[in-house]
């Protein structure tokens, strides 16, 4: 391994070290109570080292946010082998729900906390200056859902006129159910975890049936 390759590997290892420590602290202490200085202390480096890799806490949080979407997208893409797009859409919804229920804290980082939006807005502004797409995995995840819905429309499996709006409707429905569950809002129904899961899946099926022709 040459000097350049070794330096690149060491740089990547340091970035991963920072991200791992920051993720743990965001999950345990929350966004507001976590600072670049705290993260630096945890990995036993100076804050200046972190600033070599990330401009500020928002950019660091955004990087973690994208990792979460990358994980979600990789799971959603396992449905590509499902030929019937409506069945594929249902499985995407199931995967999304399972992801949220198995990773509630990470889901919180991705969807509930507002912090990444500041970085996203700034990157969107740079897009107008011909910079690369700012939210690759988040946008690609939504595009995957939208493509599946477009196929459902082309095959006349659902009643819809606008694939983007229908995708927002489906995503918002599943997100709402997942958010209610991980925030324990279904506890008032006096149901155990398995009953709640089954109820959510039934609601998903009912929502999809309403879209059918």
């Amino acid at each position: 391994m040459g000097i350049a390759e070794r330096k690149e590997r060491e740089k990547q290892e340091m970035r991963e070290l920072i991200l791992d420590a920051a993720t743990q602290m965001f999950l345990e202490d929350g966004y507001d109570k976590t600072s670049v200085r705290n993260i630096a202390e945890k990995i036993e480096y100076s804050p200046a080292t972190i600033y070599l890799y990330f401009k500020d806490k928002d950019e660091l949080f955004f990087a973690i946010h994208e990792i979460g979407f990358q994980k979600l997208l990789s799971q959603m893409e396992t449905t590509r082998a499902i030929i019937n797009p409506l069945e594929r859409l249902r499985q995407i919804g199931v995967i999304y729900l399972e992801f949220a229920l198995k990773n509630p804290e990470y889901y919180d980082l991705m969807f509930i906390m507002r912090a990444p939006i500041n970085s996203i807005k700034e990157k969107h502004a740079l897009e107008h200056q011909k910079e690369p797409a700012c939210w690759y995995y988040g946008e690609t995840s939504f595009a995957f859902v939208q493509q599946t819905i477009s196929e459902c429309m082309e095959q006349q499996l659902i009643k819809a006129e606008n694939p983007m709006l229908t995708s927002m409707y489906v995503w918002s429905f599943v997100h709402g159910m997942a958010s209610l569950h991980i925030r324990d809002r279904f506890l008032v129904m006096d149901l155990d975890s398995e009953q709640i899961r089954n109820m959510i899946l039934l609601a998903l099926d009912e929502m999809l049936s309403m879209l059918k022709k």
Side-chain angles (χ1 to χ4, degrees):
M1 180 182 294
I3 295 176
E5 291 83 358
R6 185 172 67 252
K7 287 185 176 179
E8 183 60 31
R9 185 189 67 181
E10 291 172 350
K11 182 178 179 180
Q12 184 60 32
E13 289 174 349
M14 175 58 70
R15 190 175 189 276
E16 291 175 0
L17 178 65
I18 294 169
L19 287 170
D20 287 345
T23 299
Q24 183 180 346
M25 296 189 73
F26 283 134
L27 290 174
E28 293 177 353
D29 304 326
Y31 178 82
D32 291 334
K33 292 183 179 179
T34 301
S35 67
V36 170
R37 181 172 295 279
N38 296 150
I39 298 168
E41 290 175 354
K42 186 173 183 64
I43 63 174
E44 299 182 344
Y45 281 86
S46 70
T49 299
I50 294 180
Y51 287 123
L52 291 173
Y53 295 84
F54 301 96
K55 185 182 70 173
D56 52 27
K57 187 171 71 169
D58 273 357
E59 187 169 83
L60 178 52
F61 193 98
F62 176 78
I64 296 169
H65 187 261
E66 271 285 78
I67 291 171
F69 268 103
Q70 184 179 11
K71 293 177 183 294
L72 175 60
L73 177 62
S74 67
Q75 293 181 28
M76 290 168 58
E77 288 185 328
T78 62
T79 66
R80 287 189 183 276
I82 301 175
I83 297 175
N84 185 307
L86 190 58
E87 293 178 6
R88 189 189 320 140
L89 183 60
R90 182 187 186 279
Q91 188 58 30
I92 290 171
V94 172
I95 287 172
Y96 185 101
L97 289 166
E98 294 289 352
F99 180 88
L101 302 185
K102 292 178 180 178
N103 307 277
E105 294 87 2
Y106 216 114
Y107 188 84
D108 223 24
L109 294 180
M110 293 167 61
F111 289 103
I112 309 301
M113 295 185 184
R114 291 180 55 85
I117 298 304
N118 294 330
S119 187
I120 291 170
K121 287 179 178 178
E122 183 174 326
K123 291 175 185 293
H124 266 303
L126 290 174
E127 266 194 358
H128 295 298
Q129 301 173 22
K130 308 303 181 182
E131 290 291 325
C134 74
W135 195 12
Y136 177 78
Y137 289 108
E139 292 174 347
T140 305
S141 298
F142 184 77
F144 185 68
V145 174
Q146 186 169 324
Q147 176 59 39
T148 301
I149 286 176
S150 293
E151 291 181 36
C152 289
M153 292 170 59
E154 290 167 4
Q155 297 182 30
Q156 299 185 338
L157 297 174
I158 62 174
K159 294 181 293 185
E161 296 181 359
N162 188 313
M164 191 274 286
L165 292 179
T166 306
S167 299
M168 288 295 298
Y169 167 68
V170 172
W171 191 299
S172 297
F173 177 88
V174 180
H175 168 68
M177 297 297 285
S179 300
L180 287 170
H181 189 12
I182 65 175
R183 291 295 191 180
D184 295 329
R185 296 303 191 265
F186 291 128
L187 291 180
V188 295
M189 298 181 178
D190 196 27
L191 302 173
D192 61 32
S193 295
E194 187 62 22
Q195 289 173 320
I196 292 174
R197 180 181 181 279
N198 290 336
M199 179 188 70
I200 292 174
L201 292 178
L202 285 172
L204 173 62
D205 288 337
E206 180 66 20
M207 182 271 293
L208 292 176
S209 70
M210 292 172 65
L211 290 174
K212 292 180 182 178
K213 284 188 176 288

